[in-house]
Amino acid sequence: TEYLALELRELFREAFIVDHHKQHLSASIGLALIPMEHEDPEDLLQQADVAMYSAKELGRDKVQLFLPSMQAAVDRRLEVERDLRRAIGGGELELYYQPQVLACGRIVGAEALVRWNHPTRGLVSPADFISVAEETGLIYQLGDWVLRRACEQLAHLGREGGLHISVNISPKQFREAGFVEQVRSILAQTGAPPEMLTLEITESLVIDDIEQTGQRMRTLKTLGVSFSMDDFGTGHSSLAYLKRLPLDAIKIDRSFVRDIESDPNDAVIVETIIVMSHHLGLEAIAEGVETGGALAFLRSKGCHRFQGYLFGRPEPFDKLLLQLTPPPQAYVSS
């Protein structure tokens, strides 16, 4: 079985011809063996899936056999999936917001970040459940909840609030056939001002299908929605897509910002991204700003918008409201 999987992987390594262009792919393959005793087909698929993700973690383009030692990961994933299904419709989710500020400290935006108030585990970080949502398809329901809730709270702020709200959009969510209509419907139902909404997308979304991505972005732009490229520089960066997509901002990933005071390479990368953004007419937003030294460096290079612990940690919407000047009217969370 493993020999066949290795042969299959070799076939994927051969170039594919698409529209007269060579395309190169790789494949991470997970295997599960059928035991002599009866085994539920869904369990076997689950085991193969876990083995496949293990192959990816080993560096991709690998073949991995499911091992009994992986069963704990299977059980854990099933538990998270079951609990998350309940949480999405059970009032256990909440949006936290991390401020985006100007150098003077004035809050001009905030990124919406989902948190899970688990009844027994307490506050659960997205790092512990987003991947499960992606793998199981729950990301569609979760993404809908996040976007709708963010727009409800954006509607409360209104245009007068002057606060742009950013929402992360999963590649799977963005590619869904009805995504554009979903955004249009949520904006209409909540009354959120579209010009104050920013959708954050990733490089992986763009690389997979730049034409469809660009078309959908342009349609949403007609509604007034803005776009930013999240975690720029950590994926398959290409200057080609930057000029072909209707982006408004680039977010400099925290992995570069964190060490700009001590790592000359990171400093050069950050400065290059800022200069490039200016030439393309895009705003540069630095993530992960935690020290005064990092802030001073970014300002000296022409970056004017920042997000990080130096200015504030993610907090519930009510606490974000308290930081705004002038303070908005009382808000009742539902």
Side-chain angles (χ1 to χ4, degrees), residues 35-299:
M36 295 298 292
E37 66 271 15
H38 173 73
E39 187 88 23
D40 190 314
E42 291 186 1
D43 291 341
L44 289 170
L45 288 173
Q46 188 80 38
Q47 292 174 0
D49 199 35
V50 169
M52 183 266 292
Y53 277 97
S54 176
K56 288 185 176 182
E57 291 173 358
L58 291 172
R60 299 180 180 272
D61 198 28
K62 306 285 185 181
V63 174
Q64 175 65 52
L65 180 67
F66 178 83
L67 303 174
S69 59
M70 298 177 182
Q71 187 60 48
V74 174
D75 295 340
R76 174 66 186 144
R77 173 178 158 173
L78 289 173
E79 179 185 358
V80 172
E81 178 185 355
R82 183 195 65 232
D83 290 356
L84 186 57
R85 288 186 186 278
R86 180 199 66 231
I88 293 174
E92 297 179 17
L93 301 179
E94 182 179 2
L95 286 188
Y96 276 40
Y97 291 88
Q98 185 169 35
Q100 295 175 352
V101 307
L102 301 179
C104 63
R106 182 167 69 87
I107 299 176
V108 292
E111 179 181 357
L113 302 163
V114 64
R115 296 292 186 267
W116 179 6
N117 293 300
H118 195 282
T120 58
R121 296 173 58 199
L123 201 62
V124 183
S125 167
D128 296 326
F129 64 87
I130 291 295
S131 61
V132 174
E134 290 274 7
E135 295 163 17
T136 60
L138 284 173
I139 193 66
Y140 301 112
Q141 300 173 47
L142 179 61
D144 179 84
W145 184 91
V146 170
L147 183 59
R148 186 174 300 275
R149 187 61 174 150
C151 284
E152 288 172 351
Q153 294 175 327
L154 179 57
H156 168 74
L157 288 168
R159 291 177 176 82
E160 295 75 16
L163 197 71
H164 287 259
I165 296 297
S166 299
V167 179
N168 292 283
I169 301 297
S170 156
K172 285 186 176 181
Q173 183 185 6
F174 189 92
R175 295 191 197 104
E176 196 174 17
F179 179 70
V180 172
E181 187 53 42
Q182 177 193 21
V183 175
R184 192 194 311 271
S185 175
I186 288 176
L187 287 170
Q189 292 171 11
T190 61
E195 66 273 18
M196 307 304 287
L197 174 65
T198 298
L199 301 182
E200 295 193 6
I201 60 174
T202 60
E203 290 177 289
S204 61
L205 168 65
V206 175
I207 295 300
D208 287 345
D209 192 340
I210 189 170
E211 295 303 328
Q212 184 188 70
T213 299
Q215 182 179 359
R216 290 193 175 182
M217 288 175 67
R218 284 186 285 272
T219 301
L220 289 166
K221 289 277 287 186
T222 63
L223 303 179
V225 175
S226 301
F227 284 93
S228 66
M229 178 65 67
D230 195 19
D231 302 334
F232 183 78
T234 60
H236 302 285
S237 301
S238 169
L239 299 183
Y241 72 68
L242 289 180
K243 68 177 184 179
R244 295 174 61 185
L245 297 177
L247 288 165
D248 299 279
I250 290 177
K251 299 191 76 175
I252 307 171
D253 188 69
R254 68 185 68 249
S255 62
F256 301 126
V257 174
R258 181 179 57 237
D259 298 322
I260 54 176
E261 296 178 83
S262 58
D263 189 328
N265 292 327
D266 282 345
V268 169
I269 291 172
V270 169
E271 182 177 3
T272 301
I273 294 174
I274 294 171
V275 172
M276 178 191 65
S277 299
H278 289 169
H279 284 305
L280 292 172
L282 304 175
E283 183 172 26
I285 305 173
E287 293 185 294
V289 182
E290 299 183 0
T291 67
L295 174 62
F297 175 89
L298 291 162
R299 290 183 63 184

